[in-house]
């Protein structure tokens, strides 16, 4: 049976790579985006051109009404693999951050996972099959100074993953990929010396690629991965 994957934040970075790799693996692909319409449409055209069924839906994952609308707009019946990937970073010292800064990061990176999962989980349970893969960060466990809200949001995602895996594991597996530093636009503000320090502390001696994360997501999505539930799969080169 042809499976359908929904990748939130699928227009750029890691999400874009997952859209390509899941499409190549035979999935129908739905990409969600918020602002990057041009990138989303270009990806849809690229995949459709390769005979991969692909749809793009605009929705801000931090907004419950927009997420509900997204669930009504999906083109391929139902979603059986949900990848909660949409995320934003914010760099600043806690004492300089505003309440709005905190709410925005928690809204997208944590509440967005909760809202999107709530919208797509019932159909998975009804169909007796589902895969939920949350994209978390190594900072969730180590803490990133100047990223308190981001760290807290990702630690929340790890907790949500573990809790939900106990609620629905009979039908739907819920896992998180705890990604190390990955080469995407998100890291544009990271200064070169900080990148160097991370590579220096990474036994495989490089930063990660979107392909590294995508590879792990494909593995967790497999039907044969049904005994992997509530896992935090580290894709960080051993940092
Ligand atoms: P990215 O290149 O900046 O891409 C972020 C994606 O999320 C874009 O497609 C963006 O679409 C989407 N997005 C942002 N806000 C959204 C919203 N409110 N609603 C819907 N979509 C939204 O970042 P990335 O590096 O690929 O990150 C992907 C995920 O991996 C994030 O959850 C991030 O925290 C996590 N992660 C990244 C790294 C890293 O080093 N890069 C490490 C660990 C974990 P629009 O442009 O349309 O808003």
């Amino acid at each position: 049976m042809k499976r359908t994957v929904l990748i939130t934040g699928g227009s750029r970075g890691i999400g874009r790579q997952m859209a390509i790799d899941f499409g190549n693996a035979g999935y129908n692909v739905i990409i969600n985006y918020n602002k990057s319409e041009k990138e989303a449409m270009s990806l849809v055209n690229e995949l459709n051109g390769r005979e991969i069924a692909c749809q793009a839906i605009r929705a801000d994952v931090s907004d419950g009404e927009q997420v509900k609308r997204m669930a009504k707009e999906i083109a391929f019946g139902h979603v059986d693999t949900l990848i909660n990937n949409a995320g934003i970073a914010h760099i600043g010292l806690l004492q300089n951050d505003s309440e709005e800064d905190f709410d925005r990061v928690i809204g997208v990176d944590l509440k967005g996972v909760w809202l999107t999962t709530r919208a797509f989980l019932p159909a998975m349970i009804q169909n007796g099959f589902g895969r939920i893969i949350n994209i978390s960060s190594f900072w969730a466990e180590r803490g990133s100074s100047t990223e308190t809200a981001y760290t807290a949001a990702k630690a929340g995602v790890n907790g949500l993953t573990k809790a939900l895996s106990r609620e629905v594991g009979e039908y739907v597996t819920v896992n998180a990929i705890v990604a190390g530093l990955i080469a995407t636009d998100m890291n544009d503000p990271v200064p070169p010396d900080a990148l160097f320090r991370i590579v220096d502390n990474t036994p495989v001696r490089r930063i990660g690629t979107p392909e590294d994360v995508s590879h792990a997501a494909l593995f967790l999505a497999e039907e044969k991965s049904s005994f992997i539930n509530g896992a935090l799969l580290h894709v960080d080169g051993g940092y």
Side-chain angles (χ1 to χ4, degrees), residues 111-132:
K111 189 178 169 195
V113 174
W114 188 87
L115 286 170
T116 312
T117 299
R118 191 180 60 158
F120 289 93
L121 183 62
M124 292 182 183
I125 294 172
Q126 202 179 343
N127 289 304
F129 177 86
R131 295 277 179 268
I132 296 175

Side-chain angles (χ1 to χ4, degrees), residues 39-209:
E39 288 87 344
M41 291 313 155
S42 141
L43 181 57
V44 169
N45 289 336
E46 184 184 329
L47 295 187
N48 284 341
R50 284 197 248 149
E51 317 254 297
I52 294 165
C54 180
Q55 175 193 20
I57 307 179
R58 200 197 83 72
D60 178 347
V61 295
S62 68
D63 180 324
E65 289 308 312
Q66 293 190 35
V67 172
K68 274 190 207 152
R69 175 186 44 76
M70 173 161 69
K72 289 192 187 129
E73 287 181 6
I74 54 163
F76 310 110
H78 71 276
V79 166
D80 41 50
T81 303
L82 167 64
I83 306 183
N84 284 308
N85 166 77
I88 54 171
H90 169 78
I91 295 182
L93 294 172
L94 184 145
Q95 68 261 31
N96 297 335
D97 284 352
S98 66
E99 193 174 336
E100 288 73 28
D101 292 330
F102 180 80
D103 286 346
R104 198 164 52 85
V105 173
I106 297 290
V108 176
D109 294 357
L110 177 56
K111 189 178 169 195
V113 174
W114 188 87
L115 286 170
T116 312
T117 299
R118 191 180 60 158
F120 289 93
L121 183 62
M124 292 182 183
I125 294 172
Q126 202 179 343
N127 289 304
F129 177 86
R131 295 277 179 268
I132 296 175
I133 301 164
N134 298 324
I135 308 300
S136 183
S137 163
F138 63 156
W139 297 131
E141 290 160 334
R142 305 184 68 93
S144 171
S145 67
T146 71
E147 291 190 282
T148 50
Y150 183 81
T151 297
K154 294 299 188 182
V157 168
N158 289 359
L160 185 157
T161 301
K162 293 224 163 257
L164 186 63
S165 72
R166 292 183 176 273
E167 288 184 22
V168 297
E170 193 176 348
Y171 306 110
V172 180
T173 64
V174 187
N175 295 293
I177 294 173
V178 180
L181 195 93
I182 307 296
T184 69
D185 297 347
M186 186 174 269
N187 290 312
D188 284 350
V190 180
D193 61 320
L195 289 179
F196 179 79
R197 275 199 304 278
I198 289 172
V199 172
D200 208 34
N201 282 300
T202 303
V204 303
R205 310 296 297 170
R206 64 172 175 88
I207 63 168
T209 64

